[in-house]
Amino acid sequence: AQIMARWTGANGAGRVPRLALLALATLTLADNERRDPPINGLLSPLVPIRGGSFLYGSTGVGDGEDVDDASARAPLRDGSKPARRQRVQPFSIEDAAVTNAQFRAFVRATGYKTDAERFRWSFALAPFLDAETLARADADGGLGRLRDAPHWVGVAGAYWRQPEGPRSSIRGREDHPVVHASYNDALAFCTWAGRRLPTELEWEFAARGRINDEPFPWGGDEDGGTLNGWQGPFPDGNTRADGYAGTCPARAYAPNAYGLYNTVGNVWEWASGGDDKKRPLRGGSFVDSVDGRTNHPLRVSTRMDNAADSGSFNIGFRCAAGEAQNLPPTEGFDQATLSRIADEQGIDGLTKYLAARGKRADVLTAGEARQALLKKRERLVAQQAAAARAARGGGEDGGGDVEEERDEL
């Protein structure tokens, strides 16, 4: 399995810096001259999804040994759950992953520092690194490699603007998805943009593009469309038959039936959900393969979990919008779960738990709830008195409104 866990160190857990109120992006016009353009000119278009019923997960759950047939879905190895019919309410989702250019505008507007920048390193794939970068990583005192996956190298100075380390840049890749983005980074961008991360249910419904219970956005035939995955011996033999060795532009290849690009392959995409220890990623990346022999099988059902402060060379995201009521069956807001979280983490912890799942909620303490109830009672008494005076004077009594509020109270 592809391992993306951060090494434990003195840096500690990642935290999202507090953002000010929704900031408008600023672009450099000339030396020291900046202005605020309309934010909608910088963001990807939101595609409205009407919702409906579909099979969430994979019907091919098994031992995962047979990967000869792409339509077999390489069960279990794609990380999916047994298929279950779910209903999705309307929502909207961006047509493509957030690009380097868009993330750069966000950073210029806010001064945001990503988790990779704060840690001062991130993982990158060995075949994409130059000899000097590899030598530094492998030297005494270097960050080294993952023991069980030595093609993943700890690169000092790797982050979204320097994907392969200090000797690299995003020049010429402005339209590629931003990478080395952690879950925290994705949430920060979405907050700035006035959007949110899609839930897993929303992500998979949109990724399928109206095609139910098939492995690819275009159906069941692996040759029926094109995606960006690994082709050839891994990690040193990518044939680039899809046109790219690493990431491709966010809008490369044909979109699915909803008009969404690269929902499978190219980069893993964060979805809301999980808990403080692990967050969900969907869709696989250019490191994975259609037949499942290399890393993860590329499917619309493919998923894995990762630490919230961990990004890497093949992790990005796209934003969504809507009321965020579309949760997988295991992530409902049952009273027992909410009570447990409130007991363990307090009101702030419960608020963060709801926010991470797309629920914008102000959680009241018992004292705050009593105060709100008292204020409402006072208002109701005042309205009743006003209605009585109006009745004695022969005017409008407003009784209907008072009765409605009494019922609500």
Side-chain angles (χ1 to χ4, degrees), residues 273-345:
D275 53 39
D276 290 341
K277 294 182 179 179
K278 59 182 182 179
R279 302 293 185 180
L281 286 162
R282 299 303 308 257
S285 76
F286 69 88
V287 172
D288 305 304
S289 61
V290 169
D291 62 15
R293 288 188 174 91
T294 297
N295 300 311
H296 296 77
L298 290 171
R299 307 285 187 271
V300 289
S301 57
T302 296
R303 70 178 304 282
M304 73 171 182
D305 294 315
N306 200 11
D309 62 358
S310 180
S312 74
F313 193 50
N314 62 338
I315 294 179
F317 65 96
R318 76 179 72 205
C319 303
E323 293 302 316
Q325 296 176 346
N326 296 305
L327 294 171
T330 57
E331 294 191 35
F333 296 108
D334 61 280
Q335 189 62 40
T337 299
L338 298 181
S339 297
R340 176 180 56 78
I341 292 171
D343 289 341
E344 294 175 354
Q345 304 178 31

Side-chain angles (χ1 to χ4, degrees), residues 2 45 60 76 103 106 126 132 203 241 264-265 270 292 351 376 399:
Q2 182 175 333
L76 286 187
F103 200 81
F106 158 63
E132 182 176 337
W203 189 96
V264 178
W270 290 107
T351 301
K376 196 154 192 175

Side-chain angles (χ1 to χ4, degrees), residues 94-111:
E94 290 180 344
D95 72 326
V98 172
T99 66
N100 284 315
Q102 291 169 325
F103 200 81
R104 180 174 59 195
F106 158 63
V107 170
R108 285 177 175 175
T110 64

Side-chain angles (χ1 to χ4, degrees), residues 53 164 212 232 312 337 382 389:
S53 178
E164 296 86 22
N212 204 12
S312 74
T337 299
R389 289 194 298 271

Side-chain angles (χ1 to χ4, degrees), residues 166-177:
R167 295 161 63 85
S168 67
S169 76
I170 58 171
R171 183 172 299 174
R173 291 183 281 182
E174 289 84 357
D175 59 348
H176 286 225

